[in-house]
Amino acid sequence: MNYPEIVKNSICIVIPCYNEEEGLEVHKFIGFLKSNPEVSLCFVNDGSTDGSQEILKSLWDDFRKQITIVSYADNMGKAEAIRRGIQYCNQNYDHKYIAYLDADLSTSLQECISLSYNLRKGYDFAFGSRIMKLGSNIIRNRYRFLVGRVIASIISHILRLHIYDTQCGCKIFTKKLSKIAFDEPFTSRWLFD
């Protein structure tokens, strides 16, 4: 079941959700939406089997003009959830920019908005790249960390950009570019960005 009602906003942020009942920090979304009425959020419930749908519906009840929920019965993987969320927003809403973020807000909503100012300067695409800060404690699966480092190194070499973390969960596109980039399904369920 979909919950649409978004009005025209300048930026739409797609957030894929799979079994996020325990990790979804609702108070952060509420505070952000109250402070940023020009931003829309599109939650894509990717076949969650926990109480994620009920939490999202509760958020939607309070912010119907800023939130939409697109739900799927079966889990498709992060890549397809994001792709379908972006396609849904592009087909149904009028926005200039579209972004996606991880549901755990490892990149904050406010950081996403700050990054979007690069598009307002005439760029078509912007993305975040995480760096390890002194005193931070990031816990990652060793295998996933190693695979991520190898892939980030290859991508940096191909693009000739010195980027530490190309898989950071914050990417922002113009609507026009997003229609091209998310037209076809990805070959991987998670290694797509």
Side-chain angles (χ1 to χ4, degrees):
M1 176 173 214
N2 295 340
Y3 298 92
E5 197 172 308
I6 291 177
V7 295
K8 180 179 178 176
N9 285 329
S10 62
I11 185 168
C12 185
I13 303 172
V14 174
I15 302 168
C17 296
Y18 177 67
N19 290 343
E20 297 289 345
E21 179 180 22
E22 297 295 321
L24 212 57
E25 297 185 62
V26 175
H27 67 281
K28 289 185 180 180
F29 291 102
I30 291 171
F32 176 81
L33 290 166
K34 285 181 178 177
S35 300
N36 296 277
E38 76 287 356
V39 179
S40 302
L41 302 181
C42 174
F43 291 95
V44 181
N45 182 15
D46 186 21
S48 294
T49 56
D50 64 358
S52 295
Q53 181 70 24
E54 291 76 25
I55 292 170
L56 296 176
K57 170 71 168 67
S58 175
L59 262 173
W60 179 79
D61 285 339
D62 293 334
F63 296 95
R64 292 181 182 217
K65 296 206 180 292
Q66 287 177 274
I67 288 179
T68 192
I69 303 167
V70 181
S71 289
Y72 296 98
D74 297 321
N75 178 263
M76 303 170 289
K78 180 180 175 182
E80 187 62 13
I82 290 171
R83 188 180 81 84
R84 289 193 188 185
I86 287 175
Q87 287 182 330
Y88 181 90
C89 293
N90 283 342
Q91 292 168 4
N92 293 286
Y93 304 119
D94 186 15
H95 53 270
K96 290 182 180 180
Y97 312 112
I98 191 157
Y100 64 85
L101 287 179
D102 293 336
D104 66 0
L105 297 178
S106 55
T107 302
S108 74
L109 292 156
Q110 198 55 52
E111 286 174 308
C112 180
I113 297 304
S114 295
L115 191 57
S116 75
Y117 291 119
N118 290 299
L119 275 66
R120 295 172 190 170
K121 295 177 185 175
Y123 296 101
D124 292 321
F125 173 66
F127 63 95
S129 178
R130 288 183 284 239
I131 59 171
M132 179 72 105
K133 294 180 183 176
L134 187 62
S136 61
N137 184 21
I138 299 171
I139 300 169
R140 290 187 182 148
N141 173 293
R142 176 172 273 169
Y143 172 76
R144 188 167 178 190
F145 170 77
L146 291 173
V147 169
R149 290 304 319 127
V150 168
I151 291 167
S153 297
I154 292 168
I155 292 169
S156 291
H157 178 73
I158 290 169
L159 297 177
R160 296 183 181 157
L161 296 172
H162 300 288
I163 302 164
Y164 177 77
D165 183 8
T166 57
Q167 287 84 44
C168 173
C170 181
K171 308 285 191 296
I172 306 168
F173 306 82
T174 59
K175 185 174 183 177
K176 181 179 177 182
L177 179 60
S178 72
K179 287 180 178 181
I180 297 165
F182 294 92
D183 184 44
E184 297 291 327
F186 296 99
T187 56
S188 170
R189 288 172 54 98
W190 61 274
L191 179 61
F192 69 98
D193 62 344

